[in-house]
Amino acid sequence: MRLLVCVSPWQVSFRSQFRAVSYTNVAFQLISGAVVFGLSVDLAKGQNKGPVPPETGFSSFAGGFGLLTTLVGLAALWVDSIPGVATMIADGLAAVIYLVAGSILANAMKPVPSCTTMDDTAKFYRGSNKILNTGCGDSADVWICDPNDTTLQNEVGNSITPRCQRAVTDYSFEYLSFTLCTIMVILGYVLARRGGSRSPTVATRT
């Protein structure tokens, strides 16, 4: 006896639309996650004195976790054996991590008024910011940042400006990644409510 699971044209259309939106969203998730991971690791590698700031380290973790979650979600679009609820939980967790990472990094950057303004006040706040100055320490009661890097101290050629711009871009993409992961959670919930499958296959049984 052969049992054919019938799918209405409306359901086929809905699944097609779901896959189109999901693929587009996942593509942006991959790009956004890669940007977050790359920028965060780059900022961490630029630390010359003392430990890497926890905000930078957590952002690196967020980018890596987000990329892994996105790859699992991409696989789930084609493999029915991956439970939809599992990908929803993973996307939800990634969204929370991205939001926390973006918030703490943005908060750490909040005292910096501008990445490009070259007045003394802006230079002071950039030079004293732990995300940007590559590490600071006390020497003869004078607060110095990376004493072996006079270029960084004097900001000749705006050497600290690129780090500032990367940090701002980093937390901006973390907020974007939070939004994209949240969209995937909503899409997964809607599909689950409709009783659909993420994969493009139509099931048959004998």
Side-chain angles (χ1 to χ4, degrees), residues 78-205:
W78 289 93
V79 181
D80 267 341
S81 59
I82 300 177
V85 66
T87 58
M88 286 177 58
I89 292 174
D91 283 326
L93 183 57
V96 172
I97 291 175
Y98 273 130
L99 179 61
V100 173
S103 297
I104 62 175
L105 183 58
N107 186 66
M109 289 290 296
K110 190 175 181 180
V112 179
S114 170
C115 287
T116 56
T117 303
M118 297 305 293
D119 61 79
D120 291 339
T121 299
K123 289 173 65 177
F124 169 79
Y125 281 111
R126 284 196 296 269
S128 59
N129 186 276
K130 63 180 178 178
I131 306 296
L132 307 180
N133 57 32
T134 76
C136 287
D138 290 310
S139 178
D141 297 324
V142 177
W143 186 253
I144 55 175
C145 296
D146 193 5
N148 296 319
D149 189 350
T150 55
T151 299
L152 182 61
Q153 290 184 57
N154 298 323
E155 289 196 300
V156 175
N158 298 330
S159 62
I160 203 171
T161 296
R163 283 185 63 83
C164 181
Q165 293 170 331
R166 287 195 290 272
V168 172
T169 303
D170 196 0
Y171 70 71
S172 298
F173 270 86
E174 286 173 329
Y175 286 139
L176 174 61
S177 296
F178 159 73
T179 302
L180 295 172
C181 288
T182 301
I183 290 174
M184 286 304 295
V185 173
I186 295 173
L187 289 174
Y189 175 76
V190 171
L191 185 65
R193 293 277 293 181
R194 301 283 178 92
S197 168
R198 289 194 176 201
S199 76
T201 58
V202 178
T204 60
R205 273 190 309 186

Side-chain angles (χ1 to χ4, degrees), residues 35-88:
V35 170
V36 170
F37 183 72
L39 289 176
S40 300
V41 170
D42 183 69
L43 289 171
K45 289 173 64 178
Q47 190 75 11
N48 293 324
K49 184 180 180 64
V52 173
E55 295 87 348
T56 305
F58 190 71
S59 290
S60 300
F61 167 74
F65 182 84
L67 282 175
L68 179 61
T69 300
T70 303
L71 293 175
V72 172
L74 181 62
L77 291 173
W78 289 93
V79 181
D80 267 341
S81 59
I82 300 177
V85 66
T87 58
M88 286 177 58

Side-chain angles (χ1 to χ4, degrees), residues 25-36:
N25 195 75
V26 166
F28 280 112
Q29 274 185 279
L30 284 172
I31 295 171
S32 184
V35 170
V36 170

